[in-house]
Amino acid sequence: MSSTGTEPPVGDHRFDLVTLRFGIHGGGADPAATRHLDAVLDALPEDALRPAWAHMSLRMVDWAIRHFAPSDVEHWLDLAEQRLD
């Protein structure tokens, strides 16, 4: 953890798992692999998962807003909202 306890440190494998989950969203990944990855993410501590999920959500939604159609923005918002309350 970082010194603040709110951000994943550089090289944190848990952040890589979140990045992978965003990478396979809607990309034709095997549904069993997606379910398995979701189960792994479910087991992560909230203080590691939430900041990583929020970061990737903001990153992907921002990219979609800047470069793609509104339907693409919705695509990323749908995934982002799965783990943000």
Side-chain angles (χ1 to χ4, degrees):
M1 296 303 303
S2 70
S3 60
T4 65
T6 60
E7 298 174 287
V10 174
D12 188 336
H13 68 279
R14 297 170 297 189
F15 187 80
D16 293 337
L17 292 170
V18 172
T19 302
L20 176 61
R21 181 61 181 89
F22 274 76
I24 65 172
H25 182 61
D30 180 343
T34 302
R35 286 190 302 274
H36 178 73
L37 182 53
D38 282 337
V40 170
L41 292 174
D42 289 342
L44 294 179
E46 282 294 311
D47 65 341
L49 178 60
R50 288 184 63 82
W53 194 269
H55 170 84
M56 284 303 298
S57 297
L58 179 59
R59 180 176 166 183
M60 297 308 294
V61 170
D62 175 66
W63 186 260
I65 289 168
R66 292 171 187 263
H67 300 283
F68 298 107
S71 62
D72 295 306
V73 175
E74 289 299 320
H75 171 84
W76 294 112
L77 283 171
D78 289 343
L79 179 59
E81 291 172 348
Q82 290 180 15
R83 291 187 182 269
L84 297 177
D85 312 314

